[in-house]
Amino acid sequence: MGHARLRGALGSGGGGAAIDGNRPSHSATSPARGGLDSANNHSPHHHVSLTVPHFDYVAKLARDVAAIVLERGKEYLVVLRLTPLSKAHGFPSLGDFIEHLRTRPLDLAHHQVVDALTTNETMFFRDGAPFEALRQQLLPALLTRAATTRRLRFWSAACSTGQEPYSLAMLLLEAAPQLRDWDVRILATDLCVNTLGLAAAGSFTPFEIARGLPEPLRNKYFTRQSDQWTVKEELRRMIEFRRLNLAQPWPDLPTFDLIFIRNVMIYFDVATKQSILRRARERLQPHGHLFLGTAETTVNLDPTWRPVTLGGAVAYTPA
Ligand SMILES: C[S@@+](CC[C@H](N)C(=O)[O-])C[C@H]1O[C@@H](n2cnc3c(N)ncnc32)[C@H](O)[C@@H]1O
């Protein structure tokens, strides 16, 4: 992905520029798809050459730009993620790269650093239960409620490489084939431009496909091109991919029937979580529901959400 295109996609402030469907090149500036979880497999005790001021600078940058909290002890992660980026920028060492960043106003390189620090771990139909709850309980009610307008709006915030919005699109078409004739839109957003490029391209490796996607759905909604499975147009056209930083002011958004903000708030501090939950409520229909990750909750953060148990899942609805 050329820098000019990246810069355009980054936009300003809260972002929001559309990402096109071209797959970005896998340059050294692309974040690892495995994310923090795979980085955690590396010993935190191996020797790292990162000074305390350099680590503190990177941690503050991640916090200021994306609200991502990097505690001391994550030096190995910073080295692992940023060394390829510093090489791609032509610096002899990570220290030189960070010195360079420190002396310059926020630009593309700073955003690339933050992108490289994000965790993009995801899979199709992750955790199962929220999708089952949607299929069995929430969707029938939504179909009845919207029978006249035939309009439904969904948001996958922090969509990573796209497995979440594509899972949602497949579920909708499978559970309610009539939705093909409705006005159904899924907004899929993420902070990370490279990740969004992959999501919009909709091409997955056999390994990614094997993680959570049942074979009948794979065969129905994807086509095989050499060693990649690419999503069919029928699914892709239901989804709009845009950059959106949850930690900064949000652009204009529609009012949604269902919002997914899953497995991203775990990285944020309490004030950021509260701000996101408040704004998500403003963007949700009164009858709508919010799904969070299994390790996330509104409880003790925002009393204006009410948890509802739906089979094996917990959803949150405006209290
Ligand atoms: C672990 S993935 C979760 C993907 C998917 N929601 C799921 O549950 O499988 C977290 C995603 O959050 C994104 N992210 C991190 N900070 C963000 C922010 N401030 N605004 C928007 N997205 C952010 C990362 O780029 C990453 O793609």
Side-chain angles (χ1 to χ4, degrees):
M1 179 181 275
H3 284 186
R5 245 190 74 204
L6 252 179
R7 191 174 290 114
L10 277 168
S12 60
I19 306 293
D20 70 31
N22 295 334
R23 187 190 181 100
S25 64
H26 282 278
S27 67
T29 56
S30 298
R33 287 187 117 179
L36 204 151
D37 307 341
S38 57
N40 276 344
N41 296 335
H42 295 256
S43 162
H45 302 299
H46 77 268
H47 176 74
V48 293
S49 51
L50 193 66
T51 65
V52 170
H54 282 172
F55 175 78
D56 288 350
Y57 170 78
V58 171
K60 183 171 185 317
L61 179 66
R63 197 180 186 111
D64 289 351
V65 172
I68 294 170
V69 179
L70 272 180
E71 306 280 5
R72 288 262 174 89
K74 293 281 189 197
E75 288 81 357
Y76 71 98
L77 176 76
V78 171
V79 171
L80 192 71
R81 296 289 186 80
L82 300 191
T83 300
L85 188 60
S86 99
K87 285 200 179 116
H89 277 267
F91 287 92
S93 76
L94 180 55
D96 290 319
F97 182 42
I98 296 175
E99 265 314 308
H100 166 83
L101 295 169
R102 286 214 305 181
T103 57
R104 296 170 61 88
L106 208 63
D107 69 7
L108 179 68
H110 298 82
H111 284 285
Q112 288 175 330
V113 164
V114 177
D115 278 9
L117 292 168
T118 58
T119 294
N120 305 124
E121 165 66 15
T122 189
M123 60 183 284
F124 289 98
F125 297 99
R126 185 172 186 174
D127 301 328
F131 292 95
E132 215 29 51
L134 172 60
R135 191 174 67 80
Q136 289 188 13
Q137 305 191 48
L138 300 182
L139 188 57
L142 284 177
L143 292 173
T144 307
R145 183 179 281 276
T148 319
T149 60
R150 293 154 66 99
R151 180 183 193 273
L152 290 173
R153 292 290 178 267
F154 301 89
W155 182 20
S156 165
C159 67
S160 189
T161 39
Q163 283 87 334
E164 185 172 274
Y166 288 126
S167 299
L168 178 57
M170 284 184 275
L171 181 144
L172 294 174
L173 294 187
E174 287 296 296
Q178 69 272 33
L179 289 180
R180 285 179 173 81
D181 302 321
W182 285 34
D183 174 15
V184 178
R185 302 292 303 154
I186 299 170
L187 177 66
T189 62
D190 200 279
L191 169 78
C192 181
V193 175
N194 284 328
T195 304
L196 272 173
L198 292 169
S203 280
F204 297 94
T205 64
F207 175 72
E208 290 166 324
I209 289 286
R211 296 187 66 205
L213 183 61
E215 224 173 273
L217 292 184
R218 180 198 72 183
N219 295 340
K220 186 166 176 184
Y221 292 104
F222 291 77
T223 49
R224 186 167 193 153
Q225 292 168 334
S226 62
D227 63 340
Q228 293 282 116
W229 289 87
T230 302
V231 74
K232 286 188 182 166
E233 200 46 37
E234 180 182 30
L235 279 196
R236 201 204 311 262
R237 67 166 169 253
M238 294 171 69
I239 307 171
E240 180 192 357
F241 292 97
R242 291 168 70 181
R243 180 177 186 267
L244 188 149
N245 184 345
L246 289 167
Q248 306 234 333
W250 297 354
D252 275 350
L253 294 171
T255 308
F256 298 100
D257 297 283
L258 183 75
I259 301 179
F260 284 86
I261 309 181
R262 303 200 311 147
N263 303 301
V264 61
M265 290 212 288
I266 32 169
Y267 303 111
F268 300 152
D269 60 25
V270 167
T272 307
K273 289 178 198 182
Q274 287 173 328
S275 155
I276 291 170
L277 288 172
R278 179 180 51 73
R279 289 180 286 160
R281 206 183 53 253
E282 290 166 6
R283 301 274 32 100
L284 189 69
Q285 297 276 9
H287 64 263
H289 288 82
L290 166 72
F291 280 116
L292 302 175
T294 48
E296 298 159 331
T297 178
T298 64
V299 175
N300 295 331
L301 283 173
D302 186 338
T304 65
W305 288 98
R306 183 169 57 86
V308 202
T309 302
L310 302 169
V314 177
Y316 301 86
T317 194

